Amino acid sequence: MADLTMTRLYEVMIVLYAISLVFYFTDYFYKQVRARRIAFWLVSFVWVIQSAIIILTFVETKRFPILSLSEGILFYSWLLVTLSIILHCIAKVDLPVFIINILGFLFASIFTFMPKRPTGAVGETLISEMLFIHISFAILSYAAFTLTFVFAILYLVLYRLLKKKKWTHLWTRLPSLQQTSSWMNISFFIGIPMLFISLILGFEWALLTLESLSIFDSKIIGSFIILILYCFILYVNRKSKLTGTTYAWVHIYAYLLVVVNFFLGSSLSRFHLWY
């Protein structure tokens, strides 16, 4: 009965999310205020459903549901939905909200249709507060880098429109080029320390918990490469040697590497518990 209830929640979540994207699309291209309001409330219902799934899983497993790959994807999608609602209410930006919700729908779909496996094999002895904080900060950093990715795309779009002087009514609701650059930097600066904290805690947890640890594990290598890459981007940008469209493109490529490490690195890892 519980499994049937969860399945129905997954189905309702995906249907409502898909319909909301249609309304967001309609609003953006045809300036339908009513469509935007409907889309916002549908996304809000999606947020409620995702929160309910997280709470129900918490009640069932007696832990915060974040230790498996499917749970991590759900939490990541929940964060993106939360960010889209915040941006809608505070920043009043339309295209970033639309893009973030597309990404949120993508990860929600992956969570819904991927096979769910019980996490009992993890073992109570391997579950600790340090592990929980490690994974939480990792996913929060991914959410921050997702915002950087979205604003980098917007920066390139705005730059191209301004350069070619093809400004139409479709783009009147976009933020300015300077605003886009500022938001890209803010989310970028937030993501780096979160990822650093996550890696430090994860490494300490592995040393204290696992009998053997190889530093050549694919997940460890990939995560530290991403951290070094983002630190290098920060350093070069502070030296004013990486600006404008080049800076935006670098963030786009860096985020693609984050996505690859999120899925491929976890599946190839010998000791990570996500599956």
Side-chain angles (χ1 to χ4, degrees):
M1 186 66 180
D3 291 340
L4 180 61
T5 300
M6 295 294 278
T7 301
R8 292 293 174 263
L9 284 176
Y10 300 157
E11 294 172 351
V12 172
M13 174 185 67
I14 289 300
V15 171
L16 291 179
Y17 216 158
I19 296 174
S20 72
L21 291 180
V22 174
F23 279 105
Y24 269 125
F25 182 86
T26 302
D27 165 60
Y28 188 78
F29 284 95
Y30 298 102
K31 286 191 174 182
Q32 297 289 330
V33 177
R34 185 178 179 183
R36 181 166 75 250
R37 290 174 180 171
I38 294 174
F40 171 75
W41 285 112
L42 287 174
V43 168
S44 298
F45 281 126
V46 169
W47 183 88
V48 171
I49 292 173
Q50 289 183 331
S51 300
I53 294 173
I54 292 174
I55 293 172
L56 289 174
T57 307
F58 174 80
V59 172
E60 180 182 353
T61 60
K62 303 298 187 296
R63 61 170 178 78
F64 192 82
I66 201 175
L67 296 181
S68 71
L69 180 57
S70 62
E71 293 172 350
I73 291 174
L74 173 63
F75 183 59
Y76 180 56
S77 176
W78 179 86
L79 283 175
L80 294 182
V81 174
T82 304
L83 288 172
S84 74
I85 292 175
I86 293 173
L87 286 175
H88 179 98
C89 296
I90 298 177
K92 303 293 184 181
V93 288
D94 298 316
L95 189 56
V97 170
F98 186 33
I99 296 176
I100 290 172
N101 276 310
I102 291 176
L103 293 172
F105 176 76
L106 173 63
F107 284 98
S109 301
I110 293 173
F111 163 78
T112 300
F113 298 112
M114 73 184 301
K116 308 295 188 300
R117 299 182 183 179
T119 56
V122 172
E124 293 297 328
T125 57
L126 297 182
I127 300 175
S128 65
E129 292 182 2
M130 186 179 294
L131 176 62
F132 167 73
I133 298 173
H134 157 63
I135 299 176
S136 298
F137 269 80
I139 297 178
L140 286 170
S141 70
Y142 296 159
F145 292 140
T146 302
L147 281 180
T148 306
F149 168 74
V150 170
F151 291 130
I153 292 177
L154 285 180
Y155 185 93
L156 294 174
V157 171
L158 284 167
Y159 182 85
R160 183 178 180 84
L161 290 173
L162 291 172
K163 186 176 181 180
K164 295 197 172 184
K165 299 180 180 180
K166 291 185 177 181
W167 200 262
T168 65
H169 73 281
L170 294 178
W171 312 111
T172 55
R173 292 151 66 185
L174 285 174
S176 67
L177 199 66
Q178 185 174 359
Q179 284 178 319
T180 306
S181 179
S182 297
W183 291 339
M184 180 168 56
N185 284 327
I186 291 172
S187 56
F188 169 50
F189 295 153
I190 292 174
I192 290 179
M194 284 186 173
L195 181 59
F196 178 75
I197 293 171
S198 170
L199 293 181
I200 293 299
L201 291 177
F203 195 71
E204 290 179 351
W205 172 86
L207 289 175
L208 295 172
T209 307
L210 302 179
E211 295 181 359
S212 61
L213 172 65
S214 173
I215 62 173
F216 297 105
D217 183 86
S218 61
K219 186 67 174 181
I220 294 178
I221 294 175
S223 298
F224 274 99
I225 287 177
I226 290 173
L227 178 62
I228 293 171
L229 174 61
Y230 274 111
C231 289
F232 179 75
I233 294 172
L234 175 63
Y235 173 78
V236 177
N237 177 250
R238 297 287 290 180
K239 294 291 184 179
S240 299
K241 295 181 179 180
L242 193 64
T243 57
T245 56
T246 304
Y247 183 58
W249 275 114
V250 166
H251 278 299
I252 291 174
Y253 292 135
Y255 176 74
L256 295 179
L257 184 60
V258 169
V259 174
V260 170
N261 186 62
F262 185 81
F263 288 103
L264 186 60
S266 297
S267 62
L268 296 179
S269 176
R270 294 184 178 181
F271 77 91
H272 265 73
L273 302 175
W274 284 18
Y275 51 91

